[in-house]
Coordinates of all heavy atoms in Angstrom, one line a residue:
M1 N 228.6 49.1 213.4 CA 229.6 50.2 213.4 C 230.9 49.7 212.7 O 231.4 48.6 213.2 CB 229.8 50.6 214.9 CG 231.0 51.5 215.0 SD 231.2 51.9 216.7 CE 232.8 52.7 216.6
A2 N 231.4 50.5 211.9 CA 232.8 50.1 211.3 C 233.9 50.4 212.4 O 233.8 51.3 213.1 CB 233.1 50.9 210.1
F3 N 234.9 49.6 212.5 CA 236.0 49.9 213.4 C 236.8 51.1 212.9 O 236.8 51.4 211.7 CB 237.0 48.7 213.3 CG 236.5 47.4 213.9 CD1 236.6 46.3 213.1 CD2 235.9 47.4 215.0 CE1 236.1 45.1 213.5 CE2 235.3 46.1 215.5 CZ 235.4 44.9 214.6
Q4 N 237.1 51.9 214.0 CA 237.9 53.2 213.7 C 239.2 53.1 214.4 O 239.3 52.9 215.6 CB 237.0 54.5 214.1 CG 235.8 54.5 213.3 CD 235.0 55.8 213.7 OE1 235.2 56.3 214.8 NE2 234.2 56.2 212.7
L5 N 240.3 53.4 213.7 CA 241.6 53.4 214.2 C 242.1 54.8 214.4 O 242.1 55.6 213.4 CB 242.6 52.6 213.3 CG 244.1 52.8 213.9 CD1 244.2 52.1 215.0 CD2 245.0 52.1 212.7
Y6 N 242.4 55.3 215.6 CA 242.9 56.5 215.9 C 244.4 56.3 216.2 O 244.8 55.4 217.0 CB 242.2 57.3 217.1 CG 240.9 57.5 216.9 CD1 239.8 56.7 217.2 CD2 240.5 58.7 216.2 CE1 238.4 57.0 216.9 CE2 239.3 59.1 216.1 CZ 238.3 58.2 216.4 OH 237.0 58.6 216.1
Y7 N 245.3 57.0 215.5 CA 246.7 56.7 215.5 C 247.5 58.0 215.4 O 246.9 59.1 214.9 CB 247.2 55.7 214.5 CG 247.2 56.1 213.1 CD1 248.4 56.6 212.6 CD2 246.1 56.2 212.3 CE1 248.4 56.9 211.2 CE2 246.0 56.6 211.0 CZ 247.2 57.0 210.4 OH 247.3 57.5 209.2
S8 N 248.9 57.9 215.6 CA 249.6 59.0 215.3 C 250.8 58.5 214.4 O 251.4 57.4 214.8 CB 250.2 59.6 216.6 OG 251.2 60.7 216.2
D9 N 251.1 59.1 213.3 CA 252.3 58.7 212.5 C 253.6 58.8 213.2 O 254.6 58.4 212.7 CB 252.2 59.2 211.1 CG 252.2 60.8 211.1 OD1 252.1 61.4 212.3 OD2 252.2 61.4 210.0
V10 N 253.6 59.6 214.3 CA 254.9 59.7 215.0 C 255.0 58.7 216.3 O 256.0 58.8 217.0 CB 255.3 61.2 215.4 CG1 255.3 62.0 214.1 CG2 254.2 61.8 216.3
C11 N 253.9 58.0 216.5 CA 253.9 57.2 217.7 C 254.8 55.8 217.3 O 254.4 55.2 216.3 CB 252.5 56.8 218.1 SG 252.4 55.5 219.4
P12 N 255.6 55.4 218.3 CA 256.4 54.3 217.9 C 255.6 53.1 217.9 O 256.1 51.9 217.5 CB 257.6 54.3 219.0 CG 257.1 55.1 220.1 CD 256.1 56.2 219.5
D13 N 254.4 53.0 218.6 CA 253.7 51.8 218.7 C 252.7 51.6 217.4 O 252.2 50.4 217.3 CB 252.9 51.8 220.0 CG 253.7 51.9 221.2 OD1 254.7 51.2 221.3 OD2 253.3 52.6 222.2
T14 N 252.6 52.6 216.7 CA 251.6 52.5 215.6 C 252.0 51.4 214.6 O 251.1 50.7 214.2 CB 251.4 54.0 215.0 OG1 250.7 54.7 215.9 CG2 250.6 53.9 213.7
P15 N 253.3 51.4 214.0 CA 253.5 50.5 213.0 C 253.3 49.0 213.3 O 252.6 48.3 212.5 CB 255.0 50.7 212.7 CG 255.2 52.1 213.1 CD 254.4 52.3 214.4
A16 N 253.6 48.6 214.5 CA 253.3 47.2 214.9 C 251.8 46.9 215.1 O 251.4 45.8 214.7 CB 254.1 46.8 216.2
F17 N 251.2 48.0 215.7 CA 249.6 47.8 215.8 C 249.0 47.6 214.4 O 248.1 46.7 214.3 CB 249.2 49.0 216.5 CG 247.9 48.9 217.1 CD1 247.7 48.4 218.4 CD2 246.7 49.4 216.4 CE1 246.4 48.3 218.9 CE2 245.4 49.3 217.0 CZ 245.2 48.8 218.3
V18 N 249.4 48.4 213.5 CA 248.6 48.5 212.1 C 249.1 47.0 211.5 O 248.3 46.5 210.8 CB 249.2 49.7 211.4 CG1 248.8 49.5 210.0 CG2 248.6 51.0 211.9
E19 N 250.4 46.6 211.6 CA 250.8 45.5 211.0 C 250.0 44.2 211.6 O 249.5 43.4 210.9 CB 252.3 45.1 211.3 CG 252.8 43.9 210.6 CD 252.7 44.0 209.1 OE1 252.8 45.2 208.5 OE2 252.5 43.0 208.4
K20 N 249.7 44.3 212.9 CA 248.8 43.2 213.5 C 247.3 43.3 212.8 O 246.9 42.3 212.7 CB 248.8 43.4 215.0 CG 248.0 42.4 215.6 CD 248.1 40.9 215.2 CE 249.4 40.2 216.0 NZ 249.2 38.7 215.8
L21 N 246.9 44.6 212.8 CA 245.6 44.7 212.2 C 245.6 44.0 210.9 O 244.5 43.4 210.4 CB 245.1 46.1 212.2 CG 244.7 46.7 213.5 CD1 244.6 48.3 213.3 CD2 243.5 46.1 214.1
K22 N 246.6 44.3 209.9 CA 246.6 43.7 208.6 C 246.7 42.1 208.7 O 246.0 41.5 208.0 CB 247.8 44.2 208.0 CG 247.7 45.6 207.4 CD 249.0 46.1 206.9 CE 248.9 47.5 206.4 NZ 250.2 48.1 205.9
E23 N 247.5 41.6 209.6 CA 247.7 40.1 209.8 C 246.3 39.5 210.2 O 246.0 38.4 209.7 CB 248.7 40.0 211.0 CG 249.0 38.5 211.2 CD 250.0 38.4 212.4 OE1 251.0 38.9 212.3 OE2 249.6 37.5 213.3
L24 N 245.5 40.3 211.0 CA 244.3 39.8 211.5 C 243.1 40.1 210.5 O 242.1 39.6 210.7 CB 244.0 40.4 212.9 CG 244.8 39.9 214.0 CD1 244.5 40.9 215.3 CD2 244.7 38.5 214.3
Q25 N 243.5 40.7 209.5 CA 242.6 41.0 208.4 C 241.4 41.9 208.8 O 240.2 41.6 208.5 CB 242.2 39.8 207.6 CG 243.3 39.1 207.0 CD 242.9 37.9 206.2 OE1 241.8 37.3 206.3 NE2 243.7 37.2 205.3
V26 N 241.7 42.8 209.7 CA 240.8 43.7 210.2 C 240.5 45.0 209.3 O 241.5 45.6 209.1 CB 241.0 44.2 211.6 CG1 240.1 45.1 212.3 CG2 241.3 42.9 212.7
D27 N 239.3 45.2 208.9 CA 239.0 46.4 208.2 C 238.7 47.4 209.1 O 237.9 47.4 210.1 CB 237.8 46.1 207.3 CG 238.1 45.2 206.1 OD1 239.2 45.2 205.7 OD2 237.2 44.3 205.8
Y28 N 239.1 48.7 208.9 CA 238.9 49.8 209.7 C 239.1 51.2 208.9 O 239.7 51.2 207.8 CB 240.0 49.9 210.9 CG 241.3 49.9 210.4 CD1 242.0 51.0 210.2 CD2 242.1 48.7 210.3 CE1 243.4 51.1 209.8 CE2 243.4 48.7 209.8 CZ 244.0 49.9 209.6 OH 245.3 49.9 209.2
Q29 N 238.5 52.2 209.5 CA 238.8 53.5 208.9 C 239.8 54.3 209.8 O 239.7 54.1 211.2 CB 237.4 54.3 209.1 CG 237.5 55.6 208.4 CD 236.2 56.4 208.4 OE1 235.2 56.0 209.1 NE2 236.1 57.6 207.7
A30 N 240.9 54.8 209.2 CA 242.0 55.3 209.8 C 241.9 56.8 210.0 O 241.5 57.6 209.1 CB 243.2 55.0 209.3
F31 N 242.2 57.3 211.2 CA 242.3 58.7 211.6 C 243.5 58.9 212.2 O 243.9 58.6 213.4 CB 241.2 59.0 212.5 CG 239.8 58.8 212.0 CD1 239.1 57.6 212.2 CD2 239.1 59.9 211.3 CE1 237.8 57.4 211.7 CE2 237.9 59.6 210.8 CZ 237.3 58.4 211.0
N32 N 244.5 59.7 211.4 CA 245.9 60.1 212.0 C 245.6 61.4 212.7 O 245.1 62.4 212.1 CB 246.7 60.4 210.7 CG 248.0 60.8 211.3 OD1 248.4 61.1 212.3 ND2 249.1 60.8 210.3
I33 N 245.8 61.4 213.9 CA 245.5 62.5 214.8 C 246.4 63.8 214.5 O 246.0 64.9 214.8 CB 245.3 62.3 216.3 CG1 246.7 61.9 216.8 CG2 244.3 61.3 216.6 CD1 246.8 61.7 218.4
N34 N 247.4 63.5 213.9 CA 248.5 64.5 213.5 C 248.1 65.2 212.1 O 248.7 66.2 211.8 CB 249.9 64.0 213.4 CG 250.2 63.6 214.9 OD1 250.2 62.3 215.0 ND2 250.7 64.4 215.7
E35 N 247.2 64.6 211.4 CA 246.9 64.9 210.2 C 246.0 66.2 209.9 O 246.1 67.0 209.0 CB 246.5 63.9 209.3 CG 246.2 64.0 207.8 CD 245.8 62.7 207.2 OE1 244.7 62.3 207.3 OE2 246.6 62.1 206.5
S36 N 245.0 66.2 210.8 CA 244.0 67.3 210.6 C 243.4 67.6 212.0 O 243.3 66.8 212.9 CB 242.9 66.9 209.6 OG 242.1 65.9 210.2
I37 N 242.9 68.8 212.1 CA 242.1 69.2 213.3 C 241.0 68.5 213.5 O 240.7 67.9 214.7 CB 241.8 70.8 213.3 CG1 243.1 71.5 213.3 CG2 240.9 71.2 214.4 CD1 244.1 71.3 214.6
P38 N 240.2 68.1 212.4 CA 238.9 67.3 212.7 C 239.2 65.9 213.3 O 238.5 65.3 214.2 CB 238.3 67.3 211.3 CG 238.6 68.5 210.6 CD 240.1 68.7 211.0
N39 N 240.3 65.3 212.7 CA 240.8 64.0 213.3 C 241.2 64.1 214.7 O 240.8 63.3 215.6 CB 242.0 63.4 212.5 CG 241.6 62.9 211.2 OD1 240.3 63.0 210.8 ND2 242.6 62.6 210.3
L40 N 242.0 65.2 215.0 CA 242.4 65.3 216.4 C 241.2 65.6 217.3 O 241.0 65.1 218.5 CB 243.3 66.6 216.5 CG 243.8 67.0 218.0 CD1 244.6 65.7 218.6 CD2 244.8 68.1 218.0
K41 N 240.2 66.5 217.0 CA 239.0 66.7 217.7 C 238.2 65.5 217.9 O 237.6 65.2 219.0 CB 238.2 67.7 217.1 CG 238.6 69.1 217.2 CD 237.7 70.1 216.5 CE 238.1 71.6 216.8 NZ 237.2 72.6 216.1
S42 N 238.0 64.7 216.9 CA 237.2 63.4 217.1 C 237.9 62.5 218.1 O 237.3 61.9 219.1 CB 237.1 62.6 215.7 OG 236.6 61.4 216.0
F43 N 239.3 62.3 218.0 CA 240.0 61.6 219.1 C 239.9 62.2 220.5 O 239.6 61.5 221.5 CB 241.5 61.4 218.7 CG 242.4 61.0 219.8 CD1 242.3 59.5 220.0 CD2 243.2 61.7 220.5 CE1 243.1 59.1 221.1 CE2 244.0 61.3 221.5 CZ 243.9 59.7 221.8
L44 N 240.1 63.5 220.6 CA 240.0 64.1 221.9 C 238.6 64.0 222.5 O 238.4 63.8 223.7 CB 240.3 65.6 221.8 CG 241.9 65.8 221.6 CD1 242.1 67.4 221.4 CD2 242.7 65.3 222.6
N45 N 237.6 64.0 221.7 CA 236.2 63.7 222.1 C 236.1 62.5 222.9 O 235.6 62.3 224.0 CB 235.2 63.8 221.0 CG 233.8 63.8 221.6 OD1 233.4 64.5 222.6 ND2 233.0 62.9 221.0
H46 N 236.7 61.4 222.2 CA 236.7 60.1 223.0 C 237.6 60.0 224.1 O 237.2 59.6 225.2 CB 237.2 58.9 222.0 CG 236.2 58.8 220.8 ND1 235.0 58.3 221.0 CD2 236.2 58.8 219.4 CE1 234.3 58.2 219.8 NE2 235.2 58.6 218.9
C47 N 238.8 60.6 224.0 CA 239.8 60.5 225.0 C 239.2 61.3 226.3 O 239.5 60.9 227.4 CB 241.0 61.3 224.5 SG 242.4 61.0 225.7
D48 N 238.5 62.3 226.1 CA 238.0 63.1 227.3 C 236.8 62.6 227.9 O 236.4 62.8 229.0 CB 237.8 64.6 227.0 CG 239.0 65.4 226.5 OD1 240.0 65.0 226.8 OD2 238.9 66.5 225.9
H49 N 236.0 61.8 227.1 CA 234.7 61.3 227.6 C 234.5 59.7 227.8 O 233.5 59.3 228.4 CB 233.6 61.9 226.7 CG 233.5 63.3 226.6 ND1 234.1 64.0 225.7 CD2 233.0 64.2 227.5 CE1 233.9 65.3 225.9 NE2 233.2 65.5 227.0
E50 N 235.4 59.0 227.3 CA 235.3 57.6 227.4 C 236.1 56.9 228.5 O 237.3 57.3 228.6 CB 235.7 56.9 226.0 CG 234.8 57.3 224.8 CD 233.4 56.9 224.9 OE1 233.0 56.2 225.8 OE2 232.6 57.7 224.3
A51 N 235.5 56.1 229.4 CA 236.2 55.7 230.4 C 237.4 54.8 230.1 O 238.5 54.6 230.8 CB 235.2 54.7 231.3
A52 N 237.4 54.2 228.8 CA 238.5 53.3 228.4 C 239.8 54.0 228.3 O 240.8 53.3 228.5 CB 238.1 52.7 226.9
F53 N 239.8 55.3 228.2 CA 241.0 56.0 228.0 C 241.6 56.4 229.6 O 242.8 56.8 229.6 CB 240.8 57.4 227.4 CG 240.8 57.0 225.8 CD1 239.6 56.9 225.2 CD2 241.9 57.2 225.0 CE1 239.4 56.5 223.8 CE2 241.9 56.9 223.7 CZ 240.6 56.6 223.1
Q54 N 240.9 56.3 230.7 CA 241.4 56.7 231.8 C 242.5 55.9 232.3 O 243.5 56.7 232.7 CB 240.2 56.5 232.9 CG 240.6 57.1 234.2 CD 240.8 58.7 234.0 OE1 240.0 59.4 233.5 NE2 242.0 59.2 234.6
A55 N 242.7 54.7 232.0 CA 243.8 54.0 232.4 C 245.1 54.4 231.7 O 246.2 54.5 232.3 CB 243.6 52.3 232.2
R56 N 244.9 54.7 230.4 CA 246.0 55.3 229.6 C 246.4 56.6 230.1 O 247.7 56.8 230.3 CB 245.6 55.4 228.2 CG 245.2 54.1 227.4 CD 246.3 53.3 227.2 NE 245.8 51.9 227.2 CZ 246.6 50.8 227.4 NH1 247.8 50.9 227.7 NH2 246.1 49.6 227.4
K57 N 245.5 57.4 230.4 CA 245.9 58.8 231.0 C 246.6 58.6 232.3 O 247.5 59.3 232.7 CB 244.7 59.7 231.1 CG 244.0 60.1 229.9 CD 243.0 61.2 230.2 CE 241.7 60.8 229.7 NZ 240.6 61.8 230.0
N58 N 246.2 57.6 233.2 CA 246.8 57.5 234.5 C 248.2 56.9 234.3 O 249.1 57.3 235.2 CB 246.0 56.4 235.3 CG 244.6 56.9 235.7 OD1 244.5 58.1 235.8 ND2 243.9 56.0 236.1
L59 N 248.6 56.3 233.2 CA 249.9 55.9 233.0 C 250.8 57.1 232.2 O 251.8 56.7 231.8 CB 249.9 54.7 232.1 CG 249.4 53.3 232.7 CD1 249.2 52.3 231.7 CD2 250.3 53.0 233.8
G60 N 250.1 58.2 231.9 CA 250.8 59.2 231.2 C 250.9 59.1 229.8 O 251.7 59.6 229.0
Q61 N 250.0 58.2 229.3 CA 250.0 57.9 227.8 C 248.9 58.7 227.0 O 247.9 59.1 227.8 CB 249.8 56.4 227.6 CG 250.8 55.6 228.2 CD 250.5 54.0 228.0 OE1 249.5 53.6 227.7 NE2 251.5 53.2 228.3
V62 N 249.1 58.9 225.8 CA 248.1 59.7 225.0 C 246.9 58.8 224.7 O 245.8 59.3 224.8 CB 248.8 60.1 223.7 CG1 247.7 60.8 222.7 CG2 249.9 61.1 224.0
G63 N 247.2 57.4 224.5 CA 246.1 56.6 224.0 C 246.0 56.3 222.7 O 244.8 55.8 222.2
V64 N 247.1 56.4 221.9 CA 247.1 55.9 220.5 C 248.3 55.0 220.4 O 249.3 55.0 221.2 CB 247.3 57.0 219.5 CG1 246.1 57.9 219.5 CG2 248.5 57.9 219.8
P65 N 248.1 53.9 219.6 CA 247.0 53.7 218.7 C 245.9 53.2 219.5 O 246.1 52.6 220.6 CB 247.4 52.6 217.7 CG 248.6 52.0 218.4 CD 249.2 53.0 219.4
A66 N 244.6 53.4 219.1 CA 243.3 53.0 219.6 C 242.5 52.6 218.6 O 242.0 53.4 217.8 CB 242.8 54.0 220.5
L67 N 241.9 51.4 218.7 CA 240.9 50.9 217.7 C 239.6 50.8 218.4 O 239.4 50.2 219.4 CB 241.3 49.4 217.3 CG 240.4 48.8 216.2 CD1 240.5 49.5 214.9 CD2 240.5 47.3 216.1
Q68 N 238.7 51.6 217.9 CA 237.4 51.7 218.5 C 236.5 50.6 217.9 O 236.2 50.4 216.7 CB 236.7 53.0 218.2 CG 235.3 53.1 218.9 CD 234.7 54.6 218.6 OE1 235.0 55.2 217.6 NE2 233.6 54.7 219.3
V69 N 236.0 49.7 218.9 CA 235.3 48.4 218.4 C 233.8 48.5 218.7 O 233.0 47.7 218.3 CB 236.0 47.1 219.0 CG1 237.3 47.0 218.4 CG2 236.0 47.1 220.5
S70 N 233.4 49.5 219.5 CA 232.1 49.7 219.8 C 232.0 51.3 220.3 O 232.9 51.9 220.3 CB 231.5 48.8 220.9 OG 231.9 49.2 222.2
E71 N 230.7 51.6 220.6 CA 230.6 53.0 220.9 C 231.5 53.5 222.1 O 232.0 54.6 222.1 CB 229.1 53.3 221.5 CG 228.1 53.4 220.4 CD 228.4 54.7 219.4 OE1 228.7 55.8 220.1 OE2 228.4 54.5 218.2
T72 N 231.8 52.6 223.1 CA 232.6 52.9 224.2 C 233.8 51.9 224.4 O 234.6 52.2 225.5 CB 231.6 52.9 225.5 OG1 231.1 51.6 225.7 CG2 230.6 53.9 225.4
D73 N 234.0 51.0 223.6 CA 235.1 50.1 223.8 C 236.1 50.3 222.8 O 236.0 50.4 221.6 CB 234.6 48.7 223.7 CG 233.8 48.2 224.8 OD1 233.9 48.7 225.9 OD2 232.6 47.6 224.5
F74 N 237.4 50.4 223.3 CA 238.8 50.5 222.6 C 239.7 49.6 222.8 O 239.8 49.1 224.0 CB 239.2 52.0 222.9 CG 238.4 53.1 222.3 CD1 237.2 53.5 223.2 CD2 238.6 53.9 221.3 CE1 236.4 54.5 222.8 CE2 237.8 54.9 220.8 CZ 236.7 55.3 221.6
L75 N 240.4 49.1 221.8 CA 241.6 48.3 222.1 C 243.0 49.2 221.9 O 243.1 49.9 220.9 CB 241.6 47.2 221.1 CG 240.3 46.4 221.0 CD1 240.4 45.2 219.9 CD2 240.0 45.7 222.4
F76 N 243.9 48.9 222.7 CA 245.1 49.8 222.8 C 246.4 49.0 222.5 O 247.4 49.6 222.3 CB 245.1 50.6 224.1 CG 244.0 51.4 224.4 CD1 243.0 51.1 225.2 CD2 243.9 52.7 223.8 CE1 242.0 51.9 225.6 CE2 242.9 53.6 224.0 CZ 242.0 53.3 224.9
T77 N 246.4 47.7 222.7 CA 247.6 46.9 222.6 C 247.4 45.7 221.6 O 246.3 45.3 221.2 CB 248.1 46.4 224.1 OG1 247.2 45.5 224.4 CG2 248.2 47.5 225.1
I78 N 248.6 45.3 221.2 CA 248.5 44.1 220.4 C 247.9 42.9 221.1 O 247.1 42.1 220.5 CB 249.9 43.8 219.8 CG1 250.3 44.9 218.9 CG2 250.0 42.4 219.1 CD1 251.6 44.8 218.2
D79 N 248.1 42.8 222.4 CA 247.6 41.7 223.1 C 246.1 41.7 223.1 O 245.3 40.9 223.1 CB 248.1 41.6 224.6 CG 249.5 41.1 224.7 OD1 250.0 40.5 223.7 OD2 250.3 41.4 225.7
E80 N 245.7 43.0 223.4 CA 244.2 43.3 223.3 C 243.6 42.9 221.9 O 242.4 42.3 221.8 CB 243.9 44.7 223.6 CG 244.1 45.0 225.2 CD 243.8 46.3 225.5 OE1 243.8 47.2 224.6 OE2 243.8 46.7 226.6
L81 N 244.3 43.2 220.8 CA 243.8 42.7 219.5 C 243.7 41.3 219.4 O 242.8 40.7 218.9 CB 244.8 43.3 218.5 CG 244.8 44.9 218.2 CD1 245.9 45.1 217.2 CD2 243.5 45.3 217.7
N82 N 244.8 40.8 219.8 CA 244.9 39.2 219.8 C 243.7 38.5 220.5 O 243.0 37.5 220.1 CB 246.1 38.7 220.4 CG 247.4 38.9 219.4 OD1 247.1 38.8 218.1 ND2 248.5 39.0 219.8
T83 N 243.3 39.0 221.7 CA 242.3 38.5 222.6 C 241.0 38.8 221.8 O 240.1 37.8 221.7 CB 242.2 39.2 223.9 OG1 243.5 38.9 224.6 CG2 241.1 38.7 224.8
Y84 N 240.8 39.9 221.4 CA 239.5 40.3 220.7 C 239.2 39.5 219.4 O 238.2 39.1 219.1 CB 239.5 41.8 220.5 CG 238.1 42.4 220.1 CD1 237.2 42.7 221.1 CD2 237.8 42.5 218.8 CE1 235.9 43.2 220.7 CE2 236.5 43.0 218.4 CZ 235.6 43.3 219.3 OH 234.3 43.9 218.9
F85 N 240.3 39.6 218.5 CA 240.2 38.9 217.2 C 240.7 37.5 217.1 O 240.6 36.9 216.1 CB 240.9 39.8 216.2 CG 240.2 41.1 216.1 CD1 240.9 42.3 216.5 CD2 239.1 41.3 215.4 CE1 240.4 43.6 216.3 CE2 238.4 42.6 215.2 CZ 239.0 43.7 215.7
G86 N 241.2 37.0 218.3 CA 241.7 35.5 218.3 C 242.9 35.3 217.6 O 243.2 34.3 216.9
G87 N 243.9 36.1 217.6 CA 245.3 36.1 217.0 C 246.2 35.4 217.9 O 245.8 34.7 218.9
D88 N 247.5 35.5 217.6 CA 248.6 34.9 218.4 C 248.4 35.5 219.9 O 248.0 36.6 220.2 CB 249.9 35.3 217.9 CG 250.2 34.6 216.5 OD1 249.6 33.6 216.2 OD2 251.0 35.2 215.7
T89 N 249.0 34.7 220.8 CA 248.8 35.1 222.2 C 249.8 36.2 222.6 O 249.4 36.9 223.5 CB 249.0 33.9 223.1 OG1 250.4 33.3 222.8 CG2 248.0 32.7 222.9
H90 N 250.8 36.3 221.8 CA 251.7 37.5 222.4 C 252.6 37.9 221.2 O 253.3 37.1 220.5 CB 252.6 37.1 223.5 CG 253.5 38.2 224.1 ND1 252.9 39.3 224.8 CD2 254.7 38.5 223.8 CE1 253.8 40.1 225.1 NE2 255.0 39.6 224.6
V91 N 252.8 39.2 220.9 CA 253.8 39.8 220.1 C 254.4 41.0 220.8 O 253.8 41.6 221.4 CB 253.0 40.3 218.8 CG1 254.1 41.0 217.8 CG2 252.4 39.1 217.9
S92 N 255.8 40.9 220.8 CA 256.6 41.9 221.5 C 256.4 43.2 220.8 O 256.6 43.3 219.6 CB 258.0 41.4 221.7 OG 258.7 42.4 222.3
T93 N 256.2 44.2 221.7 CA 256.1 45.7 221.1 C 256.9 46.5 222.3 O 257.4 46.0 223.2 CB 254.7 46.1 221.1 OG1 254.2 46.3 222.5 CG2 253.8 45.3 220.2
S94 N 257.0 47.7 221.8 CA 257.6 48.7 222.8 C 256.9 49.0 224.1 O 257.3 49.5 225.1 CB 258.0 50.0 222.2 OG 256.8 50.6 221.8
Q95 N 255.6 48.5 224.1 CA 254.7 48.5 225.3 C 255.0 47.5 226.2 O 254.6 47.5 227.4 CB 253.3 48.6 224.9 CG 252.8 49.7 224.0 CD 251.4 49.6 223.5 OE1 250.7 48.6 223.8 NE2 251.0 50.6 222.8
D96 N 255.6 46.5 225.8 CA 255.9 45.4 226.8 C 257.0 45.7 227.9 O 257.8 46.4 227.7 CB 256.4 44.1 226.0 CG 255.2 43.5 225.0 OD1 254.1 43.8 225.4 OD2 255.6 42.8 224.2

C-alpha cells in the first residue's frame, strides 16, 4: 500500500509535516481535503471509522495532517513521523 497524506492547505500544522516528509524522503499520494468532495469523503470515511482518529477527536482536533501507513494506522505528528521513519528525535511545531 502506498502512503496517503490527508491534509488541509489551511491547517497551520501541514507545512511543517510536509517538510518533514520531504526531509525523510517519504513518497506519498496527497489528498487536500479542502480541494474536492471526493478527497473530503475519503478522509471522513477514515475519520469516522478508524480508531486512530478517536484520540484526535477527543482533543477537538480534525485529524489532519494524517499520513496513512497501513489500512488502519495513521501518523499525525512530526514526532510520530520521526519514530516511524527513524528521523530526528524532535522538531518543534505548533502542536508542541
